[in-house]
Structures are given as structure tokens and as C-alpha cells.
Amino acid sequence: MTPPGAADILAGLAGAGPVTTWPGHLVDRCRTATLVSGVGLAVMSTATVGSVLAATDGHAQEMEDLQFLLGEGPCTEAITSGRPVLVPDLSRQADRRWPAFTAGATERGVLASFAFPLQVGAVGIGVLDLYDGSRGPLSDRQYAAALSFADAATAVLLHLQYDRVESEDGARTRSPDRLHQSDRVEVVDRRAVVHQAAGMISVQLGVDLATALLRLRGHAFGADRSVLEVAGDVVVRRLRFDDSAAGTVQTSPGTAPGAPDPAEESS
Amino acid sequence: MTARELLIADTFVELAGTLVDDFDLIDFLHALVERTVALVDADAGGIMLADQRGGLEVMAASTHDTRLVELFELQHDEGPCLDAFRTGEQVTKVDEAAMRGAWPTFTARLSEAGFASAQAIPLRLQTQVIGALNVFRVAPGALSAADMKLARALADVATVAIVQQRVLDAREQLAEQLQEALTSRIRVEQAKGILAERSGVGVDAAFTLMRTHARRSGLPLRQVVDAVISGAVLNL
């Protein structure tokens, strides 16, 4: 049996209640799927101190608080290094990376810790932490499930972040992007053109990559097109994002500098 | 030495560079794919890596032709790379009927893109398969036995570069490293878009600019990518 994919996880969350309840459901479901003893979800970036968004009952909340209190631990390392930090046996940590954290964890009966950075390329927005009361590595199946929950958590955090940006920016004329405000949250597409387009949009609008990605998705939802199609238009410079009420402007390909020659494209 | 032998020698010299600190995986895999296509009788190629969620993601391709990129992206669901990844065996199916039977969508797109075949070689680390090397041919028929042998050696080179020596004994470190590689690939795409928009060039040209800049200044590609993303470098 294959573990649930991120899209299934998001669909399940959408059916469980309003978006604000999703982080709580997500950590509970992640614990059930991975059979670890605790799961925590923290919002943080390389530049900001994090805060705990949700944690399962038991020691997970304490463990998250401990990491932020100490300023050290797998969670901090995951977000700064941009890679999962998998420690199947905290007591045998060869390099003793986090002495205070390790002591605190073992006192609370936590013997293994697995931290997954929530990121989209250069955009780091949080960490999903799994804690276990018994030592030992995650099985391939548990690991794949944890990665899928991390993908789902990334989509949820991006969505929540965008809601905040939008409400701070309440005066701005609402573009078709507003449809994004629905509970339609999709897994972040990993295809190349989507991230190339996000890079371009970030420069066009003078916003960060996370906001650019969400504007791209918002536009696609509003125009009832796929994110991939809209991204393709941005990359060949048929579509530019701007601050107009519509949020975008169409341009004919070939008029913008660097646009591929249409003749070459169809050869 | 013949030109071919020189290219082979160069490729292995670059491998030695994987042991130094400023080695850059994405840059290396692109160079390796370009060398593979130059060395064997193939017209395009690419490397796909396991996403550890059951699928594969493209890490490097010999050209940025959108149709070629799509041929890799399709293999998240079907295709020779996915078969090589799942079975751990090389996939040398080149008969069109057999390809259509095994991968209907992939094969249709393959001929639209102008290729007759796409063979795949697994990237194997002991018993584990971490990805696949894909070679595309315009002319019908498979790679010669000699070319296939060289392609296998290059696939092994790619594997060594991806996992690096220090992780051979630790499953956790391999898992961490694979995820880092997948994330760094997305960073490169974001940087391509940023630089393309700032400099008024296409995304492929932006990638070439970053690689050329990295070579000239002796920096790993990821540092140039980071500088573009952070806004420290506005034009190259």
C-alpha cells in the first residue's frame, strides 16, 4: 500500500473544517500515518525566530517550545541547512550537535527526532518535527509519508501566509486572485517552469518568491487555467504581472526583450 | 589520445573535483549530461533523481527545450526512467510498438519531440536505486554495446557525485542529501526566472549566464544562484 500523497492529505484537511483548523488536523494525521509519538508544526524562516503553530497532545508542544527557548535543535538546523535532519537515536548523536536540546529531550522520554524543512527552493517557511519515544530510523514508508505531510504543510503555511499579506493589504483593489481566498489549496508544483515564472513575477511585482508563487496560483485559479499554463505564458512573456486592478497584463510574444523567437519555438 | 578519449578523461577529472568543498552538484550533473551526449551516439539526455515519495524529478538535461523537459516531467508517472528506477535494471526498449505498449503517453510525446527512443540506466548505490540517466536518440535503434558500457560508467559517476563518499554508511545522510539536491534544483529555477526578468533575457540564457559566471569567477554555481536570489547580483 502506498502512503497518502500530499494532494490526498490536503483534500482530507479541506473536508475537516475551515483553514484555521488545518494545522491541528495535519499534525494529528501525520502522527497517525507515521506512528511516531509526537508531531509539531512551526512557522519560521532562516531570518526569523519561529513560533509553534500546532502540536499533537503529549510532549510535542514541550519539545517545540524547548527548541525555540534554547535556540538550538533539529528544527533550527533543518531550516538553516535546507535539508531534513534525521536523528534516529538522540543519545548516540556522534557530534553532540545540540547538547541542551538532547538533554531536555531524553528527560522527556524523546529518543528520536526527525525534522523536515518546509520550503520551496529559496523560500523557507517552517519545519515539521516528528518525535519518537523509541529509538530507531523511520522506515521507507514512514519517511515517504513524512515527506508527503511536509509537502502538504508547505502548501498550508503558504496559504496562511498569503492570507496575512492580503489582509494587511486590504486597501488594494481585489484582483481575480481573490478567488485564491477559497479553501482551494494545492500541492506546490515542482515543475521547472512554475519556479522560473515565480522568479520572474517576483521581479515584476517587487515581492518575495513566496508571494510571487501565490500570485501566480491565484491568477491561475481566477482565470480557471492551470498553474503550468499560466507559468508558461509568463516565461515566454505573453503575460506580465503588475499592480493594476486586473493584476496582470497581456503582451504579445516577441515584443519583450529576450522572448523566444516564435519561429524557433515551433521548429 | 583521440578527442573521445580526451573527453572521457576530462569527465573523470571533473569527478575528482567532487571531493573538494566548492563542488556544485547541479552544475556537475549538467556537465555530465552534456558529456554523455557528446560521447555516446545520442542526441539528448538527462538525469532524474528519486523524490523519495515514490516518483522521480529531473535534475539536469542536455538542452532546455521545453519538449525535452516535458519528456522528463512525464516520467514522474511513466517512462523508461521510472522503469529503471523501479526495477534497478537498464531499460533498452527501442521498438516503437513495445514502447507504446509500456508508456503510451510518453511515447507519443517522444515522437512529437522528434526522438525515436529513450533508454534509461539506473543510478544504483549498492541495493538502492536513487535515480536514472536517460539518453534519447533521433535515429532508430539502441546504443551500441560499447556506448552502453560507457553510459553505465557515467551513470556510476553521477551516483558517486550525488551521494558523495561520506554518506555511504549512513542511510539518514543519503536521505537528507537527496532532499537537499531536489530543493537546490528549484532554487536554480527561481534564480533563472529572477535573472531573466532583470536582464531581459530568456530563462535558458539566464542559466548559461550563471554557469559562465560561476566558471569565470571560480565560484560554485549555488553561490551565484544565492547571490541572484538575494538581489546581491542584479545582472551578469
Side-chain angles (χ1 to χ4, degrees):
Chain A
M1 210 183 100
T2 51
D8 305 320
I9 295 165
L10 287 174
L13 294 175
V19 67
T20 47
T21 66
W22 292 7
H25 288 304
L26 188 138
V27 292
D28 287 342
R29 287 169 188 208
C30 180
R31 180 169 65 171
T32 307
T34 57
L35 303 169
V36 296
S37 54
V39 176
L41 175 60
V43 187
M44 62 192 297
S45 75
T46 48
T48 58
V49 177
S51 63
V52 183
L53 191 61
T56 55
D57 297 339
H59 53 228
Q61 178 78 44
E62 271 182 74
M63 292 298 296
E64 297 282 286
D65 291 342
L66 182 67
Q67 295 206 50
F68 291 124
L69 182 71
L70 297 170
E72 67 169 35
C75 169
T76 314
E77 190 173 317
I79 197 76
T80 47
S81 70
R83 54 204 279 175
V85 176
L86 311 173
V87 189
D89 187 348
L90 279 165
S91 66
R92 281 191 53 210
Q93 226 194 113
D95 50 354
R96 294 271 165 189
R97 283 179 277 190
W98 326 287
F101 168 78
T102 307
T106 43
E107 264 170 38
R108 290 166 176 82
V110 172
L111 300 178
S113 149
F114 309 94
F116 295 84
L118 307 180
Q119 60 188 149
V120 185
V123 180
I125 49 172
V127 178
L128 185 70
D129 281 306
L130 276 60
Y131 302 103
D132 208 8
S134 57
R135 54 176 66 89
L138 294 176
S139 68
D140 288 349
R141 193 188 142 73
Q142 286 174 304
Y143 184 65
L147 285 173
S148 293
F149 275 94
D151 290 343
T154 304
V156 169
L157 289 195
L158 275 173
H159 186 87
L160 292 172
Q161 187 179 354
Y162 191 64
D163 278 359
R164 204 185 56 238
V165 169
E166 284 284 275
S167 53
E168 283 167 4
D169 185 26
R172 194 169 72 81
T173 311
R174 292 304 171 208
S175 64
D177 297 16
R178 291 302 294 170
L179 292 179
H180 165 85
Q181 289 285 61
S182 72
D183 54 9
R184 188 168 162 193
V185 177
E186 291 185 352
V187 185
V188 178
D189 197 306
R190 302 178 72 89
R191 282 174 286 193
V193 68
V194 172
H195 301 289
Q196 293 164 359
M200 291 177 70
I201 294 166
S202 77
V203 177
Q204 289 167 5
L205 296 175
V207 297
D208 62 32
L209 284 161
T211 308
L213 184 63
L214 289 159
R215 286 289 297 268
L216 169 66
R217 295 168 74 187
H219 178 84
F221 295 161
D224 200 22
R225 302 176 68 201
S226 77
V227 171
L228 196 64
E229 269 179 351
V230 175
D233 279 357
V234 171
V235 167
V236 301
R237 294 182 159 98
R238 268 196 289 268
L239 188 70
R240 277 185 70 79
F241 281 65
D242 61 19
D243 290 324
S244 69
T248 56
V249 58
Q250 305 262 347
T251 54
S252 60
T255 55
D261 180 353
E264 194 183 315
E265 212 184 351
S266 61
S267 65
Chain B
M1 279 201 285
T2 65
R4 177 182 163 89
E5 286 167 342
L6 272 173
L7 260 178
I8 297 175
D10 274 358
T11 304
F12 285 88
V13 168
E14 280 202 36
L15 167 64
T18 64
L19 303 176
V20 305
D21 282 344
D22 66 353
F23 165 71
D24 189 274
L25 181 63
I26 306 264
D27 200 16
F28 177 83
L29 292 179
H30 274 91
L32 189 121
V33 165
E34 287 161 2
R35 293 285 171 83
T36 304
V37 172
L39 284 168
V40 306
D41 189 13
D43 302 286
I47 287 177
M48 301 196 73
L49 204 56
D51 67 9
Q52 301 182 297
R53 298 153 174 85
L56 290 171
E57 273 188 42
V58 58
M59 291 296 289
S62 60
T63 73
H64 290 83
D65 184 311
T66 49
R67 286 163 306 183
L68 182 65
V69 172
E70 194 195 10
L71 283 172
F72 291 114
E73 290 171 346
L74 275 173
Q75 295 188 71
H76 194 270
D77 301 312
E78 66 170 46
C81 278
L82 192 59
D83 287 2
F85 170 62
R86 288 188 174 156
T87 62
E89 303 294 331
Q90 62 194 47
V91 177
T92 56
K93 215 172 269 163
V94 294
D95 173 67
E96 204 191 331
M99 291 197 299
R100 262 185 213 289
W103 323 299
T105 309
F106 175 80
T107 309
R109 295 294 170 82
L110 184 71
S111 57
E112 280 166 29
F115 296 110
S117 71
Q119 296 171 258
I121 296 142
L123 305 186
R124 278 211 303 227
L125 179 71
Q126 295 153 4
T127 57
Q128 204 177 349
V129 186
I130 61 165
L133 169 68
N134 215 181
V135 287
F136 295 80
R137 279 169 55 82
V138 170
L143 287 184
S144 69
D147 274 1
M148 184 49 93
K149 201 169 174 183
L150 182 54
R152 276 209 308 268
L154 290 162
D156 289 342
V157 168
T159 306
V160 171
I162 292 162
V163 303
Q164 305 195 5
Q165 286 185 331
R166 64 174 182 269
V167 309
L168 285 170
D169 53 3
R171 190 172 157 279
E172 277 71 34
Q173 287 179 13
L174 172 60
E176 292 171 5
Q177 198 138 344
L178 282 172
Q179 289 307 314
E180 187 182 19
L182 295 170
T183 291
S184 66
R185 204 265 307 166
I186 292 184
R187 289 173 78 92
V188 171
E189 303 302 345
Q190 293 168 333
K192 281 189 207 172
I194 290 172
L195 186 61
E197 185 64 22
R198 285 197 192 126
S199 306
V201 299
V203 286
D204 303 349
F207 184 54
T208 307
L209 282 174
M210 288 192 289
R211 278 181 88 190
T212 309
H213 184 77
R215 293 270 151 87
R216 284 206 191 120
S217 48
L219 294 171
L221 178 64
R222 64 175 172 277
Q223 270 187 31
V224 178
V225 163
D226 288 351
V228 168
I229 289 173
S230 68
V233 171
L234 297 178
N235 274 296
L236 288 177

